[in-house]
Amino acid sequence: MLKDVGDVIDIDVASLPAYPFIGPDDNPFIPVKDADLERLGGSIGKVRLPFGGWAWLITEHQDVRQLLRHPGFSSDQYKPGFPVLNPIPPKQDDASGLFIFMDGDAHSRLRRMLTAEFMIKNIRRIEPLIEETVIESLERMRGLGAPVDLMAEFALPVPSMTICHLLGVPYSDHDFFQHHSAVIMDRKSGPAEVEGALGALAGLLGDLVEAKRTEPTDDLLSRLVIERVVPGELRKDELVSLAMLLLVAGHETTANMIGLSALVLLQHPEHLAALRENPDLAPGMVEELLRYLTVVRTGLPRLAMEDAEIGGQKIRAGEGVVAMLAMSNRDHSVFSDPEVFDPARREAHRHMAFGFGLHQCIGQPLARAELRVALVELARRFPGLRSEVALADAAQRPMAVTFGVAELPVTW
Ligand code: HEM
């Protein structure tokens, strides 16, 4: 029994529904079981957190929007009382650029330095490199011969190679970068291996920052070194950790989106064929896939720094809140027949798979470009693509930071 400080209400945490909710074992496209929603008892309710304590779970589209643009909620996971959903490492000294966990001016100072880099027009410039990366991975996959694991051979390498191009990692270092990224993202890597790989990448990025100082090239690292580090606006350690944030935030999310999207299209060969016939369908299809799959399934945790009201519910300073994006993307008041995957859905763009408000995903133009190119080329180059597993047997990763399937064996 937990005494709720400052209130007469006793909260019996043990009796609350356990969060994160997970969907049924036999269908990765259903984010939550009906029984869990019933236990929540409304669109906002208290849930028990995996590492102790409780938080408010917010599920409706309009309430999630209200929460995520409210400046009175913190993203700093090291603040006491923060509703932690996944195990977090002890606070590191070299985390000075991780603005995803920062609030207020500290957050906007670093975020602002990247806004221009991720504008659509700048992402268009690296699109030929994305195409090259996608085609190379697919042709290497073909060379291996069926069956192959589409996650390992395609979905995971494409985002890490893309970040490599964006940052300006020279070709000679691509293998090193790829190898250590793969260790970080490999679910079988132990904590010491992951730490070693993070250290190796930070070392590479540190050396690159030095090299770009004297020999800048046309890439993100060079521009930030010349425009921000040299004039003294940004420290080198901040830039290295910011680059690591881009790698980690943009890798697993995009990889799981590519993998799950392929799984959806394998379940619906008519949509895969339509994409092959008409690649112009890709942008709309990608929006619907983002909505339908919502890979950040456990949602976005925040800590109330002041008393607030969200969706009519009083939230008091010190209480934790979780915005459940997967539910808000299936809100009936915004999306008609939300459980149905409909690539022609007109309102698909209203999804919040990239979050909303102050911390809304800065990499979304890049993620969209990667998804579009990956799915079009997959449809074009592998017209006979088939899944080697039944949907019910696809091994899910329900408790991971980003939802996905562990492996996706395919043949063609
Ligand atoms: C389909 C792929 C992706 C999904 C679903 C996704 C999802 C998200 C979500 C939900 C947030 C909000 C986090 C919060 O409010 O706490 C976020 C933030 C962020 N994302 Fe993405 N993301 C994707 C791809 C990328 C890519 C490719 C990059 C960059 C290379 C990236 C970089 C970031 C960064 C830096 C933030 C922090 C923004 C801030 O705190 O202001 N993401 N992403």
Side-chain angles (χ1 to χ4, degrees), residues 86-165:
N86 298 96
I88 51 171
K91 197 167 184 171
Q92 309 281 320
D93 293 338
D94 54 5
S96 54
L98 305 187
F99 63 91
I100 194 166
F101 302 125
M102 295 178 189
D103 303 322
D105 292 346
H107 166 256
S108 50
R109 168 182 164 258
L110 293 173
R111 182 175 167 118
R112 253 200 324 266
M113 295 188 192
L114 288 180
T115 4
E117 290 293 337
F118 284 97
M119 280 175 170
I120 293 173
K121 67 173 196 290
N122 289 330
I123 295 305
R124 270 203 199 112
R125 289 179 13 195
I126 67 156
E127 215 166 297
L129 288 170
I130 301 178
E131 268 162 21
E132 220 174 89
T133 305
V134 163
I135 293 170
E136 245 177 62
S137 303
L138 286 175
E139 291 309 322
R140 192 166 7 87
M141 185 172 106
R142 189 195 304 284
L144 292 173
V148 299
D149 174 12
L150 190 101
M151 281 308 298
E153 302 305 333
F154 183 53
L156 281 159
V158 164
S160 82
M161 288 303 284
T162 305
I163 306 263
C164 232
H165 290 310

Side-chain angles (χ1 to χ4, degrees), residues 84-304:
V84 175
L85 297 177
N86 298 96
I88 51 171
K91 197 167 184 171
Q92 309 281 320
D93 293 338
D94 54 5
S96 54
L98 305 187
F99 63 91
I100 194 166
F101 302 125
M102 295 178 189
D103 303 322
D105 292 346
H107 166 256
S108 50
R109 168 182 164 258
L110 293 173
R111 182 175 167 118
R112 253 200 324 266
M113 295 188 192
L114 288 180
T115 4
E117 290 293 337
F118 284 97
M119 280 175 170
I120 293 173
K121 67 173 196 290
N122 289 330
I123 295 305
R124 270 203 199 112
R125 289 179 13 195
I126 67 156
E127 215 166 297
L129 288 170
I130 301 178
E131 268 162 21
E132 220 174 89
T133 305
V134 163
I135 293 170
E136 245 177 62
S137 303
L138 286 175
E139 291 309 322
R140 192 166 7 87
M141 185 172 106
R142 189 195 304 284
L144 292 173
V148 299
D149 174 12
L150 190 101
M151 281 308 298
E153 302 305 333
F154 183 53
L156 281 159
V158 164
S160 82
M161 288 303 284
T162 305
I163 306 263
C164 232
H165 290 310
L166 181 89
L167 293 173
V169 176
Y171 273 99
S172 52
D173 290 325
H174 275 198
D175 284 347
F176 182 91
F177 193 90
Q178 260 299 100
H179 168 74
H180 291 290
S181 297
V183 172
I184 295 168
M185 299 305 155
D186 187 340
R187 291 105 207 188
K188 294 184 283 297
S189 304
E193 273 175 289
V194 171
E195 211 181 315
L198 285 169
L201 280 182
L204 169 73
L205 290 168
D207 292 346
L208 272 179
V209 167
E210 285 308 324
K212 308 266 179 195
R213 221 189 261 269
T214 45
E215 277 182 62
T217 33
D218 179 16
D219 53 64
L220 186 147
L221 275 186
S222 296
R223 280 188 290 276
L224 288 178
V225 169
I226 300 304
E227 291 164 21
R228 309 286 185 172
V229 177
V230 171
E233 279 176 47
L234 182 68
R235 294 195 317 270
K236 179 184 159 186
D237 62 295
E238 289 177 318
L239 177 53
V240 169
S241 113
L242 203 136
M244 296 290 282
L245 168 64
L246 295 181
L247 168 69
V248 174
H251 193 176
E252 189 133 23
T253 42
T254 314
N256 284 319
M257 264 307 297
I258 295 176
L260 284 172
S261 300
L263 188 60
V264 172
L265 297 180
L266 290 168
Q267 300 300 311
H268 294 279
E270 72 281 12
H271 298 318
L272 196 65
L275 197 57
R276 185 162 51 247
E277 294 298 311
N278 182 6
D280 291 345
L281 295 176
M285 201 178 278
V286 164
E287 290 315 300
E288 175 65 349
L289 286 163
L290 285 160
R291 179 198 74 85
Y292 185 65
L293 297 168
T294 318
V295 291
V296 183
R297 238 183 225 190
T298 51
L300 303 176
R302 297 288 193 263
L303 179 68

Side-chain angles (χ1 to χ4, degrees), residues 46-62:
K46 294 190 177 92
V47 288
R48 175 158 44 98
L49 295 170
F51 304 102
W54 65 276
W56 294 104
L57 188 70
I58 314 283
T59 62
E60 277 189 3
H61 195 270
Q62 60 175 5

